[in-house]
Amino acid sequence: DSKDSDELRATEFIWINNIQLDVMTKREKRPEGCERDRTQLQLHVPYLESRLRLVHVYCSLLAAVTLQSLVNIQRPRPSSEQPSVDKIVVFKASIDTIQALVQFPLQEQLCIRMNKLSSRVSNREPIALAWGMAYLCIPSRKLVGTWEEIGRLRSWKVTCSIPENQPISIDVEG
């Protein structure tokens, strides 16, 4: 029934029609005699739509912190274990178009549309986030039902380095 699907769609937090995930694993023998495992995950989403409320942002941040704490749990290793394998993990994600309606308290809204969003996360390199174009719009106070552009950010790249025992370094180009 189309009425039921319209009602369900109105309550969705995030909508993705299609996802492509490629996973590559490779073990390399190094000249020094040790081994290196390389794992690369590539995620591609053509279109993502979201309706964000403050509670969604809070829940997403809470989930991210919980996931991070689970990943960082140290497992004890038996003393007879052979030397560990050097591991490289790379995660790349790209979204052709993302459109989000952010609903703030007191009926305020912001529409964000980003094109060519890409990110790279690795245990060996800085975290990188880039986009081709980002539009920020708010509802027009003059014409009901229309939006006014309040900002446009073209060709931005944000890089975040987290060196051991040093402050975080954030580099912004745009």
Side-chain angles (χ1 to χ4, degrees):
D1 184 295
S2 128
K3 183 182 174 190
D4 290 340
S5 65
D6 289 344
E7 289 175 12
L8 181 61
R9 182 74 195 266
T11 63
E12 291 176 347
F13 157 61
I14 193 165
W15 183 81
I16 300 171
N17 189 32
N18 181 13
I19 294 178
Q20 177 181 340
L21 176 65
D22 297 320
V23 179
M24 179 193 77
T25 59
K26 180 178 180 182
R27 178 163 280 188
E28 303 169 338
K29 296 272 187 184
R30 307 293 296 164
E32 311 86 50
C34 65
E35 295 179 334
R36 175 185 287 170
D37 281 350
R38 180 176 179 83
T39 303
Q40 181 170 312
L41 297 112
Q42 278 189 265
L43 177 74
H44 177 75
V45 177
Y47 182 79
L48 182 145
E49 187 176 305
S50 180
R51 289 183 182 92
L52 288 170
R53 291 193 175 98
L54 196 54
V55 69
H56 297 135
V57 174
Y58 173 77
C59 290
S60 298
L61 290 172
L62 183 60
V65 168
T66 303
L67 185 60
Q68 183 179 21
S69 68
L70 291 173
V71 167
N72 290 333
I73 293 174
Q74 299 292 329
R75 293 183 179 90
R77 296 181 180 187
S79 59
S80 63
E81 187 176 322
Q82 296 179 358
S84 65
V85 175
D86 187 26
K87 295 182 183 198
I88 300 173
V89 179
V90 179
F91 176 74
K92 295 179 182 179
S94 64
I95 303 173
D96 294 337
T97 303
I98 181 170
Q99 187 160 312
L101 176 63
V102 183
Q103 297 174 325
F104 298 104
L106 304 176
Q107 304 299 323
E108 296 295 329
Q109 295 180 332
L110 172 68
C111 181
I112 302 169
R113 182 180 176 96
M114 299 179 94
N115 296 329
K116 298 183 181 173
L117 181 69
S118 64
S119 67
R120 178 185 171 94
V121 179
S122 171
N123 62 337
R124 297 289 174 94
E125 297 175 16
I127 298 168
L129 176 70
W131 62 86
M133 184 70 79
Y135 302 93
L136 305 169
C137 301
I138 58 172
S140 174
R141 299 202 191 276
K142 298 174 187 171
L143 297 171
V144 176
T146 63
W147 293 80
E148 293 179 9
E149 184 177 311
I150 61 167
R152 185 181 295 197
L153 305 172
R154 184 180 181 141
S155 298
W156 282 64
K157 181 177 182 181
V158 179
T159 308
C160 179
S161 300
I162 309 173
E164 286 188 36
N165 302 321
Q166 293 182 17
I168 295 173
S169 169
I170 300 174
D171 182 36
V172 179
E173 299 174 31

